[in-house]
């Protein structure tokens, strides 16, 4: 057996039949000048040694080759993003229709180093800090504006009931999503008028594009972290205009964002949205990133639940409604088959981190590196007067 295995491990070039050299001495030759006899070359596997065949088949076809791990060390050594107070605009303000500006890594570097980028990321960190050690059901200030935003999202959820998926053979991308999205675009201005004061109605030219691009792309029928970032950008724009205040931040996470995730899961399941730019098994999640940041912040300093608790089915069953991170794990286990460590190896690795504080800070650094610094994602992002 050992000899057979040793022979099979040879490169194909070593297994070809070649003329015997008159000066050679080979253990496989009958005599030096005689004919050389070899076994037939082994059947070459279509899988290289670097990429062995997968032993599982999750619902969504993952990337078989892990991506190059060149960025992980840079993420580890990078400073943790810090919260910032949102820079409020002064009125009157000239709003403008936002447009795409990022086309290359140089454009990304210019954006990442800008005050606008740092303030936007600081806003996300502030949202994360607002829900630190808080369950979703904890009491918090809920303004009229927050209630109106939640009402808007509930309306969008109701539309999924009114627009059933079409009967079609293809698995991903149900064409009825385009009907849903068209209704969103047609009603977007009237939805914005529900939350904007009279002085800020002119802002619709700038904030509506962020809003309509927060729920997926109607042409590709897909959704990903770029669309999720657009939703947080829409909230950031409202904060810059003073429509949302810092006292609303916990409600933005526990009420607005929780309902937004509920809507997106509904759209994903009803219309089978394609994951936009998914890294397969080597990504954090096919669709989302921010609920892991906010959810890990909720669990900081929890007495009993640790990162490894995601493997405890009793904890997931009893507490997923209270903690966004656990809710994400439950949803993944619902839609993906096989062992968790195989279809979600990155989340499985994170479960080995000793505490939630380290998980949260690591995810913030990863969000900056894997979302805000990626051209394939940010090339679709819009820039105007509020996010420059």
């Amino acid at each position: 057996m050992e000899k057979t295995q040793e022979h099979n491990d040879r490169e194909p070039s070593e297994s070809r039949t070649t003329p015997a050299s008159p000066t050679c001495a080979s253990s496989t030759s009958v005599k030096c000048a005689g004919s050389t006899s070899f076994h037939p070359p082994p059947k070459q596997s279509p899988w290289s040694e670097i990429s062995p065949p997968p032993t599982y088949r999750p619902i969504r076809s993952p990337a078989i080759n892990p991506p190059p791990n060149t960025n992980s060390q840079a993420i580890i050594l990078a400073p943790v993003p810090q919260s910032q107070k949102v820079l409020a605009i002064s009125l009157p303000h000239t709003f403008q229709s936002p447009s795409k500006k990022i086309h290359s890594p140089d454009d990304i570097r210019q954006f990442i180093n800008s005050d606008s980028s740092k303030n936007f990321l600081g806003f996300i960190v502030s949202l994360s800090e607002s829900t630190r050690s808080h369950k979703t059901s904890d009491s918090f200030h809920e303004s009229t504006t927050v209630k109106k935003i939640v009402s808007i999202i509930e309306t969008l959820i109701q539309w999924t009931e009114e627009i059933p998926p079409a009967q079609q053979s293809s698995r991903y991308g149900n064409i009825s999503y385009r009907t849903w999205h068209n209704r969103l675009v047609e009603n977007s201005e009237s939805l914005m008028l529900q939350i904007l004061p009279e002085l800020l109605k002119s802002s619709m030219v700038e904030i509506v594009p962020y809003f309509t691009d927060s729920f997926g792309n109607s042409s590709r029928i897909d959704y990903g972290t770029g669309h999720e970032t657009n939703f947080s950008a829409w909230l950031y724009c409202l904060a810059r205009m003073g429509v949302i205040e810092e006292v609303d931040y916990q409600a933005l996470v526990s009420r607005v964002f929780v309902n937004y995730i509920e809507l997106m899961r509904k759209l994903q399941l009803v219309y089978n949205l394609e994951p936009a730019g998914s890294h397969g098994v080597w990504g954090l999640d096919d669709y989302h990133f921010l609920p892991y940041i906010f959810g890990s912040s909720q669990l900081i300093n929890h007495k009993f639940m640790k990162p490894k608790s995601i493997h405890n089915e009793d904890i997931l069953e009893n507490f997923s409604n209270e903690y966004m991170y656990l809710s994400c794990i439950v949803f993944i286990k619902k839609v993906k088959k096989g062992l968790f460590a195989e279809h979600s190896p990155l989340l499985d690795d994170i479960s080995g981190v000793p505490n939630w504080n380290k998980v949260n800070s690591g995810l913030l650094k990863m969000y900056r590196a894997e979302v805000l610094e990626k051209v394939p994602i940010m090339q679709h992002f819009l820039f105007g007067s509020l996010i420059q």
Side-chain angles (χ1 to χ4, degrees):
M1 289 296 291
E2 294 179 354
K3 290 184 178 180
T4 302
Q5 181 63 36
E6 180 182 356
H7 178 74
N8 290 339
D9 287 342
R10 293 173 181 162
E11 291 295 327
S13 60
E14 296 177 358
S15 303
R16 297 192 188 98
T17 301
T18 56
S21 171
T23 59
C24 72
S26 173
S27 59
T28 58
S29 301
V30 176
K31 54 184 178 180
C32 184
S35 62
T36 303
S37 175
F38 289 95
H39 293 293
K43 185 177 180 181
Q44 190 173 2
S45 170
W47 306 95
S48 69
E49 293 178 0
I50 299 176
S51 267
T55 58
Y56 57 94
R57 287 289 186 272
I59 288 180
R60 301 185 184 93
S61 300
I64 295 174
N65 290 311
N69 200 22
T70 56
N71 204 31
S72 59
Q73 192 65 19
I75 295 175
I76 293 172
L77 297 176
V80 179
Q82 300 298 310
S83 61
Q84 285 193 17
K85 188 177 181 64
V86 170
L87 301 175
I89 63 171
S90 56
L91 297 176
H93 180 85
T94 302
F95 297 98
Q96 64 186 61
S97 178
S99 60
K100 299 176 182 179
K101 300 290 186 181
I102 290 179
H103 308 287
S104 68
D106 289 338
D107 297 332
I108 283 285
R109 283 189 287 271
Q110 183 178 351
F111 169 61
I112 288 298
N113 294 327
S114 68
D115 292 337
S116 182
S117 168
K118 294 173 183 175
N119 196 236
F120 172 57
L121 183 56
F123 169 70
I124 292 176
V125 178
S126 296
L127 292 181
S128 174
E129 292 180 351
S130 72
T131 193
R132 178 184 290 242
S133 304
H134 288 294
K135 301 193 300 291
T136 300
S137 63
D138 282 352
S139 59
F140 45 79
H141 171 77
E142 189 172 0
S143 65
T144 302
T145 299
V146 168
K147 292 178 181 178
K148 289 179 179 178
I149 295 175
V150 171
S151 176
I152 289 173
I153 296 175
E154 289 174 345
T155 298
L156 302 184
I157 293 175
Q158 179 60 35
W159 289 354
T160 64
E161 304 292 337
E162 300 171 5
I163 305 173
Q167 297 295 321
Q168 61 183 48
S169 58
S170 60
R171 178 180 166 194
Y172 277 119
N174 192 282
I175 58 175
S176 288
Y177 170 74
R178 290 177 177 149
T179 304
W180 183 93
H181 198 276
N182 287 339
R183 184 184 291 189
L184 169 72
V185 173
E186 291 169 359
N187 291 274
S188 57
E189 291 191 3
S190 62
L191 294 173
M192 292 303 98
L193 288 175
Q194 296 181 27
I195 59 176
L196 291 176
E198 186 68 31
L199 287 174
L200 292 172
K201 286 184 178 179
S202 60
S203 69
M204 284 196 296
V205 66
E206 185 159 347
I207 67 171
V208 165
Y210 289 109
F211 179 75
T212 55
D213 205 25
S214 297
F215 309 96
N217 182 278
S218 60
S219 299
R220 300 185 302 269
I221 314 184
D222 64 5
Y223 173 86
T225 52
H227 302 103
E228 181 186 70
T229 299
N230 271 298
F231 185 74
S232 59
W234 176 67
L235 294 177
Y236 172 74
C237 290
L238 295 180
R240 286 212 65 192
M241 295 187 297
V243 178
I244 290 173
E245 300 178 352
E246 196 167 343
V247 69
D248 297 317
Y249 284 5
Q250 187 180 349
L252 286 183
V253 176
S254 297
R255 289 284 283 133
V256 173
F257 212 85
V258 165
N259 279 271
Y260 170 72
I261 296 299
E262 179 185 349
L263 166 62
M264 292 319 307
R265 287 174 182 162
K266 187 89 171 177
L267 292 174
Q268 291 157 24
L269 293 175
V270 172
Y271 303 120
N272 296 321
L273 301 187
E274 185 88 32
S278 170
H279 293 293
V281 300
W282 304 107
L284 184 70
D285 187 292
D286 284 340
Y287 298 102
H288 295 290
F289 203 116
L290 292 178
Y292 293 94
I293 293 177
F294 301 150
S296 59
S297 181
Q298 286 183 303
L299 288 160
I300 289 176
N301 297 326
H302 197 283
K303 292 182 179 180
F304 308 110
M305 279 185 274
K306 307 300 179 186
K308 64 182 179 182
S309 297
I310 66 168
H311 303 295
N312 187 313
E313 295 297 331
D314 288 338
I315 286 179
L316 293 178
E317 181 179 353
N318 290 291
F319 296 99
S320 60
N321 290 333
E322 293 285 9
Y323 298 98
M324 297 179 71
Y325 196 101
L326 302 183
S327 175
C328 290
I329 300 299
V330 168
F331 185 74
I332 285 178
K333 290 189 173 186
K334 175 183 177 182
V335 299
K336 291 191 175 184
K337 295 180 180 179
L339 296 176
F340 185 78
E342 292 183 338
H343 61 61
S344 302
L346 184 54
L347 288 171
D348 187 63
D349 287 346
I350 292 174
S351 70
V353 177
N355 58 70
W356 290 109
N357 195 60
K358 287 184 177 294
V359 171
N360 181 253
S361 59
L363 288 174
L364 283 168
K365 293 191 288 184
M366 187 177 173
Y367 181 75
R368 177 176 56 196
E370 297 296 333
V371 177
L372 299 184
E373 293 183 6
K374 293 299 183 184
V375 174
I377 295 175
M378 297 304 291
Q379 66 181 344
H380 303 292
F381 195 74
L382 301 172
F383 295 91
S385 68
L386 297 173
I387 303 179
Q388 299 180 351

